[in-house]
Amino acid sequence: MSSPTVLASDTLISANAVDYLIIALYFGVVIAIGVMAKRRVSDSLDFFLSGRSLPAWVTGLAFISANLGAVEIMGMSANGAQYGLPSVHYFWVGAIPAMLFLGVVMMPFYYGSKVRSVPEFMRRRFGTGAHLVNSISFAVAQLLIAGINLFLLGSIVHALLGWPLWVALIVAAAIVLCYITLGGLSAAIYNEVLQFFVIVGGLLPLTLIGLHRVGGWSGLSDKLTAASNANPDTVAPADQQLNSWPGQALTGFDSSILSVIGIVFGLGFVLSFGYWTTNFVEVQRAMASNSISSARKTPIIGAFPKMFIPFITILPGMIAAVLVTEIGKVKAGEAVAGGASGEGVAYNDALLYLMRDILPNGLLGLAITGLLAAFMAGMAANISAFNTVVSYDLVQQYVVKDRDDSYYLRIGRIATVAATAIAIFTATLASNFSNIMNYLQTLFGFFNAPLFATFILGMFWKRMSATAGWVGLVAGTASAVAVAFLSEDAFGSLSTGVIPIGGQGASFVAAGAAFVVDIVFSVVVSLVTKPRDPAELRGLVYSETPREDLVDADEASYPWYRRTLPLAGIALVMVIVLNAIF
């Protein structure tokens, strides 16, 4: 984990006093928000769910900011550099439809049941078996993903500022720990709103200046085409990079039909719905809102900025592939010394090198701050969800029951410290994978895909039994792990290559296998075990829940731009148009 001290002259990018001042001011504001939020924390509901008091626009921006971590920014810019426009499927197919479904269909169940976490909803629907499996798997996933965020930030700070990697990890983790421990979810959410604007403000200049340097979209297209023609054996055909469909460069499938199926089913349905509709990191933000109407609108409000994030992540990656000499050589199949890791330039370095080549000091400091903000938003989201599940779903449910509220509040703060410390060690796992997005998508296949299968079947089929809940989860997760190990590289060097599929297509296949296996096991087990009494399923199963329980009676009186369904309809039309254009 330790790294030798690097002198400023050895850094990838040279920051000056103006850049450091911008970073220091940002850190000061972050800590101040944590201190102010602490005044509002009087009980565990305040700490874990902000007292259910926040307006929809705040939770909506926090919802998307919590997702806009360093993993997404660095990973998606790397995808843009390597694959081009097909990477937009992670947003327009693999995010927006599921976010709208979460707001319209699923949030009423979460918010209306007054549960404090997604695992708690699983306990009410399926009992303690599925609840325990879900709680443990979710907690492990958050520690692993927090480690990814921490590893990337440490690499970024090491490359940009010259700090030893271990110093970067500890300092950054300490800042996140400080404001989460002080102010709980309120501090995380208000910082996430700030971080959203900092991230956009920091990365937008990369797109604007970069496009100007390459001669606009037509210039970018010409340069990508020339690079593809010059290196046909190592670079995907230009038409595959400049058009989002059928996305063969991304999936790794030779067949365009199989590529579309993989994107629509593996990414657009299983991975996407599995992540957005059952991931407590995201759902927790909506559950902190002040009404069921605000909770429903939270992911829908978040969908509007989400659909434009590719223009500040994927597009800069594509620009870097033609503007940055080192990234162009990597794409041509050459090994290039350097990079953030010091072990060679990789696609993950695309954004850093583009910043080096086109941003003046001042804007450079803003961009560095944007990356720091992204890391902190992502890691804080992981840790705030982790401490809630550990306190409510594991300690209170299985370890120490019936204690006063202050006890579980204290456990939450201890869990926050423990998670931050553990993330420093799980960061080393991320360093073992050549492509960080492959690792992340593999984790989603393990944890989110089977959970979504169990969740969606249980919500719409009242016959599904409690036993089927945990059996399906275990079987689905095991099948995803098996596919990952049998593929070429979905699980790094541990994969065997028995299944001849690599890249992110392998993650799509693993997620699809998890979903199908979970459904099959759940149906079979449900048919031979006793279902719950339908009278117990109100608020848990769609057919057993009266409509009035799922809507806010006051929403009908709101103007159209404050109502859930009109906003969702507009977002859906916009994302369809974007898919048609690109």
Short mmCIF file of all heavy atoms in Angstrom, two decimals, residues 95-141:
data_model
loop_
_atom_site.label_atom_id
_atom_site.label_comp_id
_atom_site.label_asym_id
_atom_site.label_seq_id
_atom_site.Cartn_x
_atom_site.Cartn_y
_atom_site.Cartn_z
N ALA A 95 -29.45 3.32 -17.15
CA ALA A 95 -29.73 4.12 -15.95
C ALA A 95 -31.11 4.76 -16.00
O ALA A 95 -31.95 4.50 -15.13
CB ALA A 95 -28.66 5.21 -15.78
N ILE A 96 -31.38 5.60 -16.99
CA ILE A 96 -32.59 6.42 -16.98
C ILE A 96 -33.88 5.60 -16.88
O ILE A 96 -34.74 5.91 -16.01
CB ILE A 96 -32.65 7.34 -18.23
CG1 ILE A 96 -31.39 8.19 -18.32
CG2 ILE A 96 -33.89 8.22 -18.17
CD1 ILE A 96 -31.14 9.08 -17.13
N PRO A 97 -34.11 4.56 -17.69
CA PRO A 97 -35.37 3.80 -17.55
C PRO A 97 -35.56 3.23 -16.14
O PRO A 97 -36.67 3.27 -15.59
CB PRO A 97 -35.23 2.69 -18.60
CG PRO A 97 -34.30 3.26 -19.63
CD PRO A 97 -33.32 4.07 -18.85
N ALA A 98 -34.49 2.70 -15.56
CA ALA A 98 -34.59 2.12 -14.22
C ALA A 98 -34.85 3.19 -13.17
O ALA A 98 -35.60 2.98 -12.21
CB ALA A 98 -33.32 1.33 -13.89
N MET A 99 -34.24 4.36 -13.33
CA MET A 99 -34.47 5.46 -12.39
C MET A 99 -35.94 5.90 -12.42
O MET A 99 -36.55 6.17 -11.37
CB MET A 99 -33.56 6.63 -12.72
CG MET A 99 -32.09 6.35 -12.46
SD MET A 99 -30.98 7.61 -13.16
CE MET A 99 -31.38 9.01 -12.11
N LEU A 100 -36.51 5.96 -13.62
CA LEU A 100 -37.91 6.35 -13.74
C LEU A 100 -38.82 5.28 -13.14
O LEU A 100 -39.82 5.59 -12.47
CB LEU A 100 -38.27 6.57 -15.21
CG LEU A 100 -37.45 7.66 -15.94
CD1 LEU A 100 -37.91 7.79 -17.39
CD2 LEU A 100 -37.57 9.00 -15.22
N PHE A 101 -38.48 4.01 -13.35
CA PHE A 101 -39.26 2.91 -12.77
C PHE A 101 -39.20 2.96 -11.24
O PHE A 101 -40.21 2.75 -10.57
CB PHE A 101 -38.72 1.58 -13.28
CG PHE A 101 -39.47 0.37 -12.77
CD1 PHE A 101 -40.65 -0.03 -13.37
CD2 PHE A 101 -38.99 -0.35 -11.69
CE1 PHE A 101 -41.34 -1.15 -12.90
CE2 PHE A 101 -39.67 -1.46 -11.21
CZ PHE A 101 -40.86 -1.86 -11.83
N LEU A 102 -38.03 3.26 -10.71
CA LEU A 102 -37.88 3.38 -9.26
C LEU A 102 -38.81 4.46 -8.71
O LEU A 102 -39.50 4.25 -7.71
CB LEU A 102 -36.43 3.72 -8.91
CG LEU A 102 -36.14 4.11 -7.46
CD1 LEU A 102 -36.45 2.96 -6.52
CD2 LEU A 102 -34.68 4.56 -7.30
N GLY A 103 -38.83 5.63 -9.37
CA GLY A 103 -39.66 6.72 -8.88
C GLY A 103 -41.14 6.46 -9.01
O GLY A 103 -41.91 6.72 -8.09
N VAL A 104 -41.56 5.92 -10.15
CA VAL A 104 -42.99 5.74 -10.42
C VAL A 104 -43.56 4.55 -9.67
O VAL A 104 -44.64 4.63 -9.08
CB VAL A 104 -43.23 5.59 -11.94
CG1 VAL A 104 -44.68 5.21 -12.23
CG2 VAL A 104 -42.87 6.89 -12.67
N VAL A 105 -42.84 3.43 -9.66
CA VAL A 105 -43.40 2.16 -9.17
C VAL A 105 -42.91 1.77 -7.78
O VAL A 105 -43.70 1.38 -6.91
CB VAL A 105 -43.11 1.02 -10.16
CG1 VAL A 105 -43.64 -0.31 -9.62
CG2 VAL A 105 -43.73 1.33 -11.52
N MET A 106 -41.61 1.88 -7.53
CA MET A 106 -41.06 1.25 -6.34
C MET A 106 -40.92 2.16 -5.12
O MET A 106 -41.03 1.70 -3.98
CB MET A 106 -39.71 0.60 -6.67
CG MET A 106 -39.83 -0.50 -7.71
SD MET A 106 -38.31 -1.41 -8.03
CE MET A 106 -38.14 -2.34 -6.51
N MET A 107 -40.66 3.44 -5.33
CA MET A 107 -40.49 4.32 -4.17
C MET A 107 -41.71 4.37 -3.25
O MET A 107 -41.56 4.49 -2.03
CB MET A 107 -40.10 5.73 -4.61
CG MET A 107 -38.62 5.94 -4.83
SD MET A 107 -37.51 5.26 -3.56
CE MET A 107 -38.11 6.04 -2.07
N PRO A 108 -42.94 4.30 -3.79
CA PRO A 108 -44.08 4.29 -2.87
C PRO A 108 -44.03 3.14 -1.86
O PRO A 108 -44.47 3.30 -0.71
CB PRO A 108 -45.28 4.14 -3.81
CG PRO A 108 -44.83 4.75 -5.09
CD PRO A 108 -43.38 4.38 -5.20
N PHE A 109 -43.50 1.99 -2.27
CA PHE A 109 -43.39 0.86 -1.35
C PHE A 109 -42.32 1.13 -0.30
O PHE A 109 -42.52 0.89 0.89
CB PHE A 109 -43.05 -0.42 -2.12
CG PHE A 109 -44.20 -0.95 -2.93
CD1 PHE A 109 -44.36 -0.58 -4.26
CD2 PHE A 109 -45.14 -1.79 -2.37
CE1 PHE A 109 -45.42 -1.06 -5.01
CE2 PHE A 109 -46.21 -2.29 -3.10
CZ PHE A 109 -46.35 -1.92 -4.42
N TYR A 110 -41.16 1.63 -0.75
CA TYR A 110 -40.08 1.93 0.20
C TYR A 110 -40.52 3.00 1.20
O TYR A 110 -40.43 2.82 2.42
CB TYR A 110 -38.85 2.45 -0.55
CG TYR A 110 -38.07 1.41 -1.30
CD1 TYR A 110 -37.64 1.64 -2.61
CD2 TYR A 110 -37.72 0.20 -0.71
CE1 TYR A 110 -36.90 0.72 -3.32
CE2 TYR A 110 -36.98 -0.75 -1.41
CZ TYR A 110 -36.58 -0.48 -2.71
OH TYR A 110 -35.85 -1.41 -3.39
N TYR A 111 -40.99 4.12 0.69
CA TYR A 111 -41.28 5.25 1.56
C TYR A 111 -42.53 5.01 2.39
O TYR A 111 -42.58 5.32 3.58
CB TYR A 111 -41.45 6.53 0.73
CG TYR A 111 -41.38 7.80 1.55
CD1 TYR A 111 -40.16 8.42 1.79
CD2 TYR A 111 -42.53 8.37 2.09
CE1 TYR A 111 -40.08 9.58 2.55
CE2 TYR A 111 -42.47 9.52 2.86
CZ TYR A 111 -41.24 10.13 3.08
OH TYR A 111 -41.18 11.27 3.83
N GLY A 112 -43.56 4.44 1.75
CA GLY A 112 -44.82 4.22 2.44
C GLY A 112 -44.72 3.23 3.56
O GLY A 112 -45.45 3.32 4.57
N SER A 113 -43.81 2.26 3.46
CA SER A 113 -43.66 1.25 4.51
C SER A 113 -42.85 1.78 5.69
O SER A 113 -42.76 1.11 6.72
CB SER A 113 -42.97 0.00 3.94
OG SER A 113 -41.67 0.31 3.50
N LYS A 114 -42.23 2.97 5.53
CA LYS A 114 -41.42 3.60 6.59
C LYS A 114 -40.23 2.75 7.00
O LYS A 114 -39.74 2.85 8.14
CB LYS A 114 -42.27 3.92 7.83
CG LYS A 114 -43.41 4.90 7.55
CD LYS A 114 -42.90 6.25 7.06
CE LYS A 114 -44.04 7.22 6.82
NZ LYS A 114 -43.59 8.51 6.23
N VAL A 115 -39.76 1.90 6.09
CA VAL A 115 -38.55 1.14 6.40
C VAL A 115 -37.36 2.08 6.38
O VAL A 115 -37.37 3.14 5.78
CB VAL A 115 -38.33 -0.01 5.39
CG1 VAL A 115 -39.44 -1.02 5.48
CG2 VAL A 115 -38.20 0.54 3.96
N ARG A 116 -36.29 1.68 7.08
CA ARG A 116 -35.10 2.51 7.15
C ARG A 116 -34.02 2.07 6.18
O ARG A 116 -33.01 2.75 6.01
CB ARG A 116 -34.57 2.48 8.59
CG ARG A 116 -35.52 3.09 9.61
CD ARG A 116 -35.19 2.69 11.03
NE ARG A 116 -35.31 1.25 11.25
CZ ARG A 116 -35.21 0.67 12.43
NH1 ARG A 116 -34.97 1.39 13.51
NH2 ARG A 116 -35.33 -0.64 12.55
N SER A 117 -34.23 0.92 5.52
CA SER A 117 -33.24 0.43 4.55
C SER A 117 -33.91 -0.56 3.62
O SER A 117 -35.00 -1.09 3.91
CB SER A 117 -32.07 -0.25 5.27
OG SER A 117 -32.52 -1.45 5.90
N VAL A 118 -33.26 -0.86 2.49
CA VAL A 118 -33.75 -1.88 1.56
C VAL A 118 -33.73 -3.25 2.21
O VAL A 118 -34.71 -4.02 2.07
CB VAL A 118 -32.94 -1.85 0.25
CG1 VAL A 118 -33.30 -3.05 -0.63
CG2 VAL A 118 -33.19 -0.55 -0.51
N PRO A 119 -32.68 -3.66 2.93
CA PRO A 119 -32.73 -4.96 3.61
C PRO A 119 -33.91 -5.07 4.59
O PRO A 119 -34.48 -6.16 4.73
CB PRO A 119 -31.38 -5.02 4.34
CG PRO A 119 -30.47 -4.21 3.49
CD PRO A 119 -31.31 -3.08 3.00
N GLU A 120 -34.27 -3.98 5.24
CA GLU A 120 -35.42 -4.04 6.14
C GLU A 120 -36.71 -4.34 5.38
O GLU A 120 -37.58 -5.06 5.87
CB GLU A 120 -35.57 -2.74 6.93
CG GLU A 120 -36.70 -2.81 7.97
CD GLU A 120 -36.82 -1.55 8.80
OE1 GLU A 120 -35.90 -0.71 8.76
OE2 GLU A 120 -37.83 -1.42 9.52
N PHE A 121 -36.83 -3.80 4.18
CA PHE A 121 -37.98 -4.13 3.33
C PHE A 121 -37.97 -5.62 3.00
O PHE A 121 -39.03 -6.28 3.01
CB PHE A 121 -37.94 -3.29 2.05
CG PHE A 121 -39.17 -3.42 1.19
CD1 PHE A 121 -40.23 -2.55 1.34
CD2 PHE A 121 -39.29 -4.44 0.25
CE1 PHE A 121 -41.37 -2.66 0.55
CE2 PHE A 121 -40.42 -4.57 -0.54
CZ PHE A 121 -41.47 -3.67 -0.38
N MET A 122 -36.79 -6.17 2.73
CA MET A 122 -36.68 -7.60 2.44
C MET A 122 -37.11 -8.42 3.65
O MET A 122 -37.75 -9.47 3.50
CB MET A 122 -35.24 -7.94 2.06
CG MET A 122 -34.78 -7.34 0.75
SD MET A 122 -35.56 -8.12 -0.69
CE MET A 122 -34.69 -9.68 -0.72
N ARG A 123 -36.79 -7.97 4.86
CA ARG A 123 -37.19 -8.71 6.06
C ARG A 123 -38.70 -8.74 6.19
O ARG A 123 -39.28 -9.78 6.54
CB ARG A 123 -36.54 -8.09 7.30
CG ARG A 123 -36.93 -8.78 8.61
CD ARG A 123 -36.18 -8.22 9.80
NE ARG A 123 -36.44 -6.81 10.03
CZ ARG A 123 -37.53 -6.34 10.65
NH1 ARG A 123 -38.46 -7.18 11.09
NH2 ARG A 123 -37.68 -5.05 10.83
N ARG A 124 -39.34 -7.61 5.94
CA ARG A 124 -40.80 -7.58 6.06
C ARG A 124 -41.47 -8.45 5.00
O ARG A 124 -42.52 -9.04 5.26
CB ARG A 124 -41.29 -6.14 5.93
CG ARG A 124 -40.85 -5.25 7.10
CD ARG A 124 -41.58 -3.93 7.07
NE ARG A 124 -41.11 -3.03 8.11
CZ ARG A 124 -41.63 -1.83 8.33
NH1 ARG A 124 -42.66 -1.41 7.60
NH2 ARG A 124 -41.14 -1.05 9.27
N ARG A 125 -40.86 -8.55 3.83
CA ARG A 125 -41.48 -9.35 2.75
C ARG A 125 -41.15 -10.83 2.88
O ARG A 125 -42.00 -11.69 2.68
CB ARG A 125 -41.01 -8.81 1.38
CG ARG A 125 -41.49 -9.65 0.18
CD ARG A 125 -42.99 -9.66 0.06
NE ARG A 125 -43.44 -10.45 -1.07
CZ ARG A 125 -43.71 -11.75 -1.04
NH1 ARG A 125 -43.55 -12.43 0.11
NH2 ARG A 125 -44.15 -12.38 -2.12
N PHE A 126 -39.89 -11.15 3.22
CA PHE A 126 -39.45 -12.54 3.15
C PHE A 126 -38.98 -13.12 4.48
O PHE A 126 -38.66 -14.31 4.56
CB PHE A 126 -38.30 -12.69 2.14
CG PHE A 126 -38.69 -12.36 0.73
CD1 PHE A 126 -38.19 -11.24 0.11
CD2 PHE A 126 -39.56 -13.17 0.02
CE1 PHE A 126 -38.53 -10.92 -1.19
CE2 PHE A 126 -39.91 -12.88 -1.28
CZ PHE A 126 -39.41 -11.75 -1.88
N GLY A 127 -38.89 -12.31 5.52
CA GLY A 127 -38.42 -12.83 6.79
C GLY A 127 -36.92 -12.69 6.96
O GLY A 127 -36.22 -12.06 6.16
N THR A 128 -36.40 -13.34 8.02
CA THR A 128 -35.01 -13.11 8.42
C THR A 128 -33.98 -13.77 7.51
O THR A 128 -32.84 -13.29 7.42
CB THR A 128 -34.79 -13.59 9.86
OG1 THR A 128 -35.17 -14.97 9.96
CG2 THR A 128 -35.61 -12.77 10.84
N GLY A 129 -34.33 -14.86 6.83
CA GLY A 129 -33.36 -15.54 5.97
C GLY A 129 -32.86 -14.65 4.85
O GLY A 129 -31.66 -14.39 4.71
N ALA A 130 -33.79 -14.15 4.01
CA ALA A 130 -33.42 -13.26 2.91
C ALA A 130 -32.83 -11.96 3.44
O ALA A 130 -31.91 -11.38 2.84
CB ALA A 130 -34.64 -12.97 2.04
N HIS A 131 -33.36 -11.50 4.58
CA HIS A 131 -32.87 -10.26 5.16
C HIS A 131 -31.40 -10.37 5.56
O HIS A 131 -30.59 -9.47 5.27
CB HIS A 131 -33.71 -9.90 6.38
CG HIS A 131 -33.20 -8.72 7.15
ND1 HIS A 131 -32.52 -8.85 8.35
CD2 HIS A 131 -33.26 -7.39 6.89
CE1 HIS A 131 -32.19 -7.65 8.79
NE2 HIS A 131 -32.63 -6.75 7.94
N LEU A 132 -31.03 -11.45 6.20
CA LEU A 132 -29.66 -11.63 6.65
C LEU A 132 -28.70 -11.75 5.46
O LEU A 132 -27.63 -11.13 5.44
CB LEU A 132 -29.54 -12.86 7.55
CG LEU A 132 -28.17 -13.12 8.18
CD1 LEU A 132 -27.74 -11.92 9.04
CD2 LEU A 132 -28.19 -14.39 9.00
N VAL A 133 -29.10 -12.54 4.46
CA VAL A 133 -28.27 -12.68 3.26
C VAL A 133 -28.07 -11.34 2.58
O VAL A 133 -26.95 -10.96 2.21
CB VAL A 133 -28.90 -13.69 2.27
CG1 VAL A 133 -28.15 -13.68 0.94
CG2 VAL A 133 -28.89 -15.10 2.86
N ASN A 134 -29.16 -10.59 2.40
CA ASN A 134 -29.10 -9.29 1.74
C ASN A 134 -28.26 -8.29 2.55
O ASN A 134 -27.46 -7.53 1.99
CB ASN A 134 -30.51 -8.76 1.52
CG ASN A 134 -30.54 -7.42 0.80
OD1 ASN A 134 -31.43 -6.61 1.00
ND2 ASN A 134 -29.55 -7.16 -0.05
N SER A 135 -28.45 -8.26 3.86
CA SER A 135 -27.73 -7.31 4.71
C SER A 135 -26.22 -7.54 4.65
O SER A 135 -25.44 -6.60 4.49
CB SER A 135 -28.21 -7.41 6.15
OG SER A 135 -29.57 -7.09 6.27
N ILE A 136 -25.82 -8.80 4.76
CA ILE A 136 -24.38 -9.11 4.74
C ILE A 136 -23.78 -8.83 3.37
O ILE A 136 -22.72 -8.21 3.26
CB ILE A 136 -24.15 -10.58 5.15
CG1 ILE A 136 -24.53 -10.78 6.62
CG2 ILE A 136 -22.70 -10.98 4.91
CD1 ILE A 136 -24.47 -12.22 7.08
N SER A 137 -24.46 -9.27 2.30
CA SER A 137 -23.92 -9.05 0.95
C SER A 137 -23.84 -7.56 0.63
O SER A 137 -22.87 -7.10 0.02
CB SER A 137 -24.77 -9.78 -0.09
OG SER A 137 -26.06 -9.22 -0.18
N PHE A 138 -24.84 -6.80 1.07
CA PHE A 138 -24.83 -5.36 0.81
C PHE A 138 -23.68 -4.69 1.56
O PHE A 138 -22.96 -3.85 1.01
CB PHE A 138 -26.15 -4.73 1.24
CG PHE A 138 -26.18 -3.23 1.06
CD1 PHE A 138 -26.48 -2.68 -0.18
CD2 PHE A 138 -25.90 -2.38 2.11
CE1 PHE A 138 -26.49 -1.31 -0.35
CE2 PHE A 138 -25.91 -1.01 1.95
CZ PHE A 138 -26.20 -0.47 0.70
N ALA A 139 -23.49 -5.05 2.83
CA ALA A 139 -22.42 -4.45 3.62
C ALA A 139 -21.06 -4.74 3.00
O ALA A 139 -20.20 -3.85 2.89
CB ALA A 139 -22.48 -4.97 5.06
N VAL A 140 -20.85 -5.98 2.55
CA VAL A 140 -19.58 -6.34 1.91
C VAL A 140 -19.39 -5.55 0.62
O VAL A 140 -18.30 -5.03 0.34
CB VAL A 140 -19.54 -7.86 1.63
CG1 VAL A 140 -18.33 -8.22 0.76
CG2 VAL A 140 -19.49 -8.65 2.93
N ALA A 141 -20.47 -5.44 -0.17
CA ALA A 141 -20.37 -4.70 -1.43
C ALA A 141 -19.97 -3.25 -1.20
O ALA A 141 -19.15 -2.68 -1.94
CB ALA A 141 -21.71 -4.77 -2.18
#
